[in-house]
Amino acid sequence: MTGYSHIAQDAPPHAFLWDPATGIHDLGTLGEKYSSGTGINSRGQVTGESTAADGNNRAFLWDPVNGMQDLGTLGGSGSSGADINDAGQVTGQSQNADGLSVTFLWDPETGMQDLGTLGGGYSSGSAINPDGLITGSSETAEGVLPRAFLWSPANGMQDLGTLAPFPSASAGYGINALGQVTGETETIEVPHRAFVWDRASGMKELGTLGGRGSAGFDINASGQVTGTSEPADGTTRAFLWDPAFGMLDLNDLVPPDLGWDVLEEARAINDAGQITGYGFINGQARAFLLMPSVRTDIPEPGTPAPMMAALLVFWLLGGRCRFRAGWTGPSCCLGSQGMPTVDDGPRHRSDHRDRTGGCR
């Protein structure tokens, strides 16, 4: 898995690669002090962003042979990588020659391509699947409220809509090999809610853990979604949503004696059901890896599906990185009314609307 970790107290974070055999490994930077890993493929290639020698953040591709490579920009000063597939294709966001931040597709053979917008002045790619399909968010020609999109080489950028009439906003954060998308949608009246979108059924709300809001960050080939949601007490809890069982609090599915205070965000899930994200242990923020394991308990006949789902438990391996819940660099997010905002400096991820950075 990848993410970022502080290399010393109060020092800027560096991107890391963690694997079970060697633990956590510092991936370095593009010349300055900051880097962050946001996407990783099965070949161990990592993408993210790092501050270059000119002081601007740039999208990078890291691999064990060549180290960290600057992927450049679309003619502007900065860029940021968000995700990478097994073909080594990267998506993210870059400034173009007009100073606008738009979605890019970087390919090892053709370099960086501008994927445009849904008619507005801004877009950002969040995730890419094995076939090169991309999801993210974009402004539309009708207004500044962004919409989730699905981009394909054949059809370009498609508006995935929202769960309510205008004014409303949506953003895509994860996409699986089947082209299913997860993310969040919101209106001025209704808080943000996690969704799953597919071509057959359109957009479906996933609900919450009993509170006001939720957001889906990633989806695997089984249609399982990970993300974060508020329970009734207004705290922040990591969730797993399953097509059969619905939304489950991951804190209820891990052994209680592991010492974790709370698992707050589940950032990614792979096709084996392994989940990564961050939470707090002994008051300190830490990355985690959840390993699914099915207990041998045999439920009583007639046990409700949610109760049967609780028989799935996760063994949790705590990352030893010091993981700060924040991100530094140019980004766009949904503001308090679903409005896109741009921040070129440090920001504390205090709510669910800032989706750049973290562990994958």
Side-chain angles (χ1 to χ4, degrees):
M1 69 190 235
T2 190
Y4 61 87
S5 174
H6 288 264
I7 59 175
Q9 187 72 24
D10 299 323
H14 280 194
F16 70 78
L17 173 68
W18 181 95
D19 69 58
T22 61
I24 193 167
H25 174 61
D26 186 348
L27 301 188
T29 72
L30 288 174
E32 286 296 321
K33 298 179 180 179
Y34 161 77
S35 63
S36 175
T38 54
I40 186 170
N41 65 16
S42 65
R43 297 161 58 189
Q45 294 176 307
V46 174
T47 192
E49 67 167 10
S50 175
T51 307
D54 63 4
N56 293 302
N57 288 339
R58 300 286 178 79
F60 70 77
L61 172 65
W62 181 95
D63 66 57
V65 175
N66 301 305
M68 189 174 289
Q69 172 189 354
D70 187 340
L71 299 187
T73 73
L74 292 170
S77 59
S79 61
S80 177
D83 197 19
I84 183 171
N85 64 14
D86 286 350
Q89 295 175 309
V90 175
T91 192
Q93 181 187 69
S94 174
Q95 288 182 328
N96 60 23
D98 296 325
L100 301 176
S101 294
V102 296
T103 301
F104 72 78
L105 170 64
W106 183 91
D107 185 271
E109 300 296 328
T110 60
M112 188 175 288
Q113 174 188 354
D114 185 341
L115 301 188
T117 73
L118 290 173
Y122 150 81
S123 69
S124 179
S126 299
I128 183 170
N129 80 354
D131 295 324
L133 304 182
I134 293 171
T135 192
S137 64
S138 173
E139 289 180 354
T140 67
E142 288 74 24
V144 295
L145 296 178
R147 295 289 184 88
F149 69 77
L150 175 66
W151 181 92
S152 68
N155 301 313
M157 192 173 287
Q158 173 190 355
D159 186 343
L160 299 188
T162 68
L163 287 169
F166 187 84
S168 56
S170 61
Y173 300 137
I175 184 170
N176 65 13
L178 303 178
Q180 295 174 305
V181 173
T182 191
E184 67 177 325
T185 180
E186 65 177 327
T187 69
I188 293 176
E189 294 82 13
V190 180
H192 47 282
R193 297 292 172 86
F195 71 80
V196 167
W197 178 95
D198 62 45
R199 293 189 183 277
S201 305
M203 189 175 287
K204 172 185 176 181
E205 181 186 329
L206 302 187
T208 73
L209 290 173
R212 289 172 53 82
S214 61
F217 293 149
D218 200 18
I219 182 169
N220 67 10
S222 299
Q224 295 175 314
V225 174
T226 52
T228 187
S229 178
E230 298 171 5
D233 62 9
T235 57
T236 303
R237 315 276 284 190
F239 75 75
L240 168 68
W241 182 90
D242 184 273
F245 305 134
M247 187 175 291
L248 306 170
D249 187 338
L250 280 174
N251 292 272
D252 296 334
L253 301 181
V254 297
D257 58 352
L258 293 180
W260 286 77
D261 306 325
V262 64
L263 308 180
E264 284 204 346
E265 291 194 0
R267 301 292 303 184
I269 182 169
N270 64 16
D271 291 345
Q274 297 168 318
I275 298 170
T276 187
Y278 80 89
F280 287 84
I281 185 168
N282 298 321
Q284 295 183 316
R286 290 289 190 269
F288 66 74
L289 172 64
L290 294 176
M291 310 290 288
S293 175
V294 179
R295 285 170 49 183
T296 58
D297 305 45
I298 300 176
E300 295 295 327
T303 301
M307 185 67 70
M308 292 177 67
L311 296 178
L312 176 67
V313 298
F314 288 87
W315 297 108
L316 190 149
L317 303 178
R320 297 203 176 267
C321 58
R322 183 174 182 270
F323 188 84
R324 180 174 62 88
W327 180 76
T328 305
S331 71
C332 290
C333 65
L334 300 180
S336 59
Q337 300 297 333
M339 306 286 286
T341 60
V342 177
D343 184 356
D344 291 324
R347 178 171 61 234
H348 178 70
R349 293 174 55 232
S350 58
D351 63 16
H352 302 164
R353 297 182 175 92
D354 180 0
R355 298 301 165 209
T356 309
C359 277
R360 287 190 66 85

